[in-house]
Amino acid sequence: MENCGFGWQNHLLSATLSGNGVAALPVTNLQNQQGAASLGWRVAGGTAGWNASLQMSLSSALPIRAISLHRTNLSAAASWHIQIHDGSTVVFDQTGACGAQNGQCLLVLPSEATGNAVSITILDVDNPDGFLSIPLAYVGPLWQPQRNYASSSTESLTLGQQSTTMINGGEFVDARYVQRGLSIVHDSYGDSDIATLRQIQRAAATGQNILFLPDPSQPPLTLAGQALLGRLSGGDLSNPYGPANRHSQTLTLTERL
């Protein structure tokens, strides 16, 4: 088990992107912060269109450990091929099942790779929707605090629904969305963690999505079920243990829809 990981330096947001897709929903839509399918990247189905292909070009070689897709319509049969290049050298190359859960796919590299280009190709020929929809993605490093978060952390579900009750007591529910939320309690941040915590919260204050992984060492299918990408806010940072090198703060993370 590893300490929890935060992804807050999303290289994809500043990269030069290219790829296939519907003209009205191009691959560059991945650089907005909205998770709606109507604002995402879409690739039409068909003989030549089942491969969603993304190429990222970075201005310099940067560290990468986590690659993820969010709010997708990918099926359980989807697979992907990921390559990271440092100039003409391929520093990471992997093909395998996406392991889609909750519309998410996660890959955490065994160790950080440094590269200036990333290519991701997604194959999902049996997708029942007839197209591939990928609104959000993260490509970048993971920051892990000195010590892990507390077991008192909680997960919540916000149900977006309208319920109508008839005169006879019958109920009709119009289900609109389900939004996950996390209360990440941490009672033991080290002194050296504080500067990064502040940077994460400043980035989040601009509306940038933050990725959270409870345990980056888990297999991709488990990661996809646990991970959350969304808006983050922080409570007060305290030092409840006097001179000890332990600080307390609770972060609230809400899934971006």
Side-chain angles (χ1 to χ4, degrees), residues 13 35 50 69 85 91 98 119 128 146 160 169 185 187-188 199 223 232 234 245 257:
L13 300 178
W50 284 112
L69 309 175
H85 301 257
V91 296
C98 287
S119 64
Q146 288 183 25
V185 180
D187 294 325
S188 195
Q199 290 176 331
L223 285 172
L232 180 140
N245 180 15
L257 302 181

Side-chain angles (χ1 to χ4, degrees), residues 130 151 154 167 202 219 239:
S151 59
T154 58
I167 195 171
R202 288 191 183 104
N239 187 12

Side-chain angles (χ1 to χ4, degrees), residues 6-17 30-31 33 54-68 84-85 109 112-118 120 137-143 208-209 211 229:
F6 291 86
W8 65 281
Q9 296 168 301
N10 191 352
H11 301 328
L12 182 144
L13 300 178
S14 59
T16 299
L17 303 184
L30 290 174
Q31 292 177 319
Q33 302 293 334
L54 160 68
Q55 291 80 44
M56 271 179 60
S57 178
L58 304 172
S59 59
S60 61
L62 296 171
I64 297 169
R65 185 156 183 239
I67 297 172
S68 62
I84 301 174
H85 301 257
L109 279 62
E112 198 168 74
T114 300
N116 62 0
V118 180
I120 304 173
Y138 178 88
V139 179
L142 281 179
W143 174 74
Q208 179 181 317
N209 294 318
L211 175 67
L229 179 81

Side-chain angles (χ1 to χ4, degrees), residues 41-143:
W41 171 35
R42 181 170 297 188
V43 178
T47 304
W50 284 112
N51 285 289
S53 179
L54 160 68
Q55 291 80 44
M56 271 179 60
S57 178
L58 304 172
S59 59
S60 61
L62 296 171
I64 297 169
R65 185 156 183 239
I67 297 172
S68 62
L69 309 175
H70 304 268
R71 306 295 301 166
T72 77
N73 71 334
L74 297 180
S75 74
S79 62
W80 57 1
H81 178 208
I82 298 171
Q83 282 190 334
I84 301 174
H85 301 257
D86 186 10
S88 59
T89 303
V90 177
V91 296
F92 181 81
D93 189 338
Q94 181 169 310
T95 300
C98 287
Q101 291 281 324
N102 300 326
Q104 303 187 132
C105 300
L106 271 292
L107 175 67
V108 175
L109 279 62
S111 60
E112 198 168 74
T114 300
N116 62 0
V118 180
S119 64
I120 304 173
T121 302
I122 303 150
L123 181 66
D124 192 10
V125 296
D126 295 322
N127 193 293
D129 293 335
F131 59 86
L132 307 185
S133 176
I134 304 168
L136 295 171
Y138 178 88
V139 179
L142 281 179
W143 174 74

Side-chain angles (χ1 to χ4, degrees), residues 175-229:
R176 297 178 179 176
Y177 66 88
V178 177
Q179 185 179 45
R180 294 171 60 210
L182 295 177
S183 177
I184 306 165
V185 180
H186 204 303
D187 294 325
S188 195
Y189 285 118
D191 291 341
S192 61
D193 292 330
I194 303 307
T196 303
L197 272 176
R198 290 173 179 150
Q199 290 176 331
I200 291 172
Q201 290 173 84
R202 288 191 183 104
T206 68
Q208 179 181 317
N209 294 318
I210 306 298
L211 175 67
F212 178 73
L213 302 179
D215 179 4
S217 68
Q218 292 296 313
L221 193 63
T222 303
L223 285 172
Q226 296 177 344
L228 197 149
L229 179 81

